Each structure stands twice: as C-alpha cells, then as structure tokens.
C-alpha cells in the first residue's frame, strides 16, 4: 500500500468529473487499498479518487469508531433522497476548514463492489452525509461550493495564506 498525495482546494483538478470504472481488477483493488491508507493517515472518514488525482468513480468511507468499517463504492449513484439535515462538514482537500452544509438526511445509493457486483444501500445520518460529500467530489464539486460566495473567498484566502507560510 502507498500513501497518495491529496489535492488541495482550489486546485482545478478537483473540478474534474470522474469517469465510470469499467475494469474490476487488481489495479482497482490496489487503488482502493491506497485510498483507504491515505484516508486513515490523514485522518479522515471519506476520500474520493478525484482527491488523489485519479479521475475514476471510486470512493472509500469508514465512519466507524475503530476504523474497521471500510466501505468502497464504485460508480455510486444516488437514486433517491429524503429529509434534510444540517451537518458541520470538513474535507481532506480543504484542511482546517469546517462549516455547516444542508443535505438530505437519508439516501438510497446504487453502486458496484470491488467485484463489479451491483449493490444498493439505504442509509442515513453521517454515512448518508459522507456518501453525498464524496459523490460531489466525483462530480467536480467541493463542499465549500455549498457555502456563500463570501465564505468561499475567505476560505481561499485562508488556504493561500497557509500555503505561503508553509513554503
């Protein structure tokens, strides 16, 4: 396994729309393993392939307390949503920034597993939020896109300042 570099907002590569996975092989399994290792090391609870500059429709999520609940979603599609909730979100591509985002509280997602078998999951709460957040990445969106223009500008300025300090 290998740690992968995570793209940082406002990197334009985060705006790339991911392509569907068509080959379910050892390379896909390795990508998922590397993404999981990267996510745990960061630390985070979700990571989309787009965030590591791989533009395929792959996400990994683990919302468990003990990091033993890893789930991989290949070619995920949200089929239906229900309810609304406000949740404070953060993102590995937008380090140190957290803000409230309104999203549906329950989702039904269709996806494929690592063998290409089609699956359906109905879920709510944190897992539903995380799935929506990561699918946004696959569609070229970052959670700050859900915020006001003023907040987006402040976040960009804050991250630019931090980048200058870390040079």
């Amino acid at each position: 396994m290998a740690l992968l570099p995570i793209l940082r907002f406002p990197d334009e590569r985060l705006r790339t729309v991911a392509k569907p996975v068509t080959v379910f092989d050892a390379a896909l399994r390795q990508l998922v393993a590397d993404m999981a290792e990267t996510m745990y090391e960061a630390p985070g609870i979700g990571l989309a392939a787009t965030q590591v500059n791989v533009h395929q429709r792959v996400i990994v999520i683990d919302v468990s307390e003990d990091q033993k609940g890893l789930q991989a979603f290949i070619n995920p599609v949200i089929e239906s949503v229900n309810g609304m909730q406000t949740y404070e979100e953060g993102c590995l591509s937008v380090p140190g920034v957290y803000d409230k985002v309104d999203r549906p509280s329950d989702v039904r997602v269709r996806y494929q597993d690592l063998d290409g078998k089609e699956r359906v999951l109905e879920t709510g709460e944190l897992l539903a939020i995380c799935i929506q957040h990561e699918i946004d990445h696959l569609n070229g969106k970052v959670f700050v896109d859900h915020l006001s223009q003023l907040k987006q500008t402040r976040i960009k300025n804050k991250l630019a300042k931090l980048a200058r300090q870390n040079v």
Side-chain angles (χ1 to χ4, degrees):
M1 292 193 301
L3 290 177
L4 305 171
I6 297 172
L7 300 177
R8 304 283 187 221
F9 178 79
D11 191 312
E12 281 303 311
R13 293 173 290 179
L14 290 168
R15 301 298 182 187
T16 305
V17 176
K19 303 223 179 315
V21 172
T22 57
V23 178
F24 295 78
D25 61 2
L28 176 64
R29 284 179 166 57
Q30 187 62 54
L31 172 63
V32 167
D34 291 346
M35 287 175 59
E37 182 179 4
T38 302
M39 174 187 72
Y40 289 133
E41 180 69 23
I45 60 170
L47 187 68
T50 301
Q51 292 176 271
V52 294
N53 203 28
V54 175
H55 303 287
Q56 294 183 308
R57 298 192 72 80
V58 177
I59 61 178
V60 294
I61 296 174
D62 188 345
V63 296
S64 70
E65 295 285 326
D66 59 4
Q67 296 186 343
K68 293 185 178 174
L70 182 66
Q71 295 176 273
F73 297 83
I74 316 301
N75 300 323
V77 175
I78 294 175
E79 293 190 322
S80 63
V81 298
N82 193 29
M84 284 299 286
Q85 68 180 332
T86 301
Y87 199 89
E88 187 169 78
E89 295 186 27
C91 181
L92 297 178
S93 290
V94 192
V97 175
Y98 302 89
D99 213 319
K100 292 184 170 129
V101 177
D102 295 328
R103 293 191 189 267
S105 55
D106 300 291
V107 298
R108 176 185 168 98
V109 61
R110 183 174 303 279
Y111 66 99
Q112 290 169 281
D113 64 19
L114 287 172
D115 297 317
K117 183 176 180 190
E118 195 162 287
R119 306 268 184 188
V120 175
L121 174 68
E122 292 185 23
T123 190
E125 300 178 359
L126 181 56
L127 182 55
I129 295 296
C130 199
I131 288 169
Q132 292 170 82
H133 177 112
E134 300 308 333
I135 289 176
D136 272 358
H137 279 299
L138 300 180
N139 294 330
K141 283 183 81 171
V142 182
F143 94 96
V144 298
D145 295 341
H146 293 276
L147 306 177
S148 71
Q149 200 61 44
L150 176 63
K151 285 185 177 183
Q152 289 179 40
T153 300
R154 286 182 178 161
I155 290 166
K156 285 178 188 173
N157 291 341
K158 176 183 176 180
L159 294 176
K161 182 179 177 181
L162 287 172
R164 286 191 305 273
Q165 291 171 349
N166 291 333
V167 172

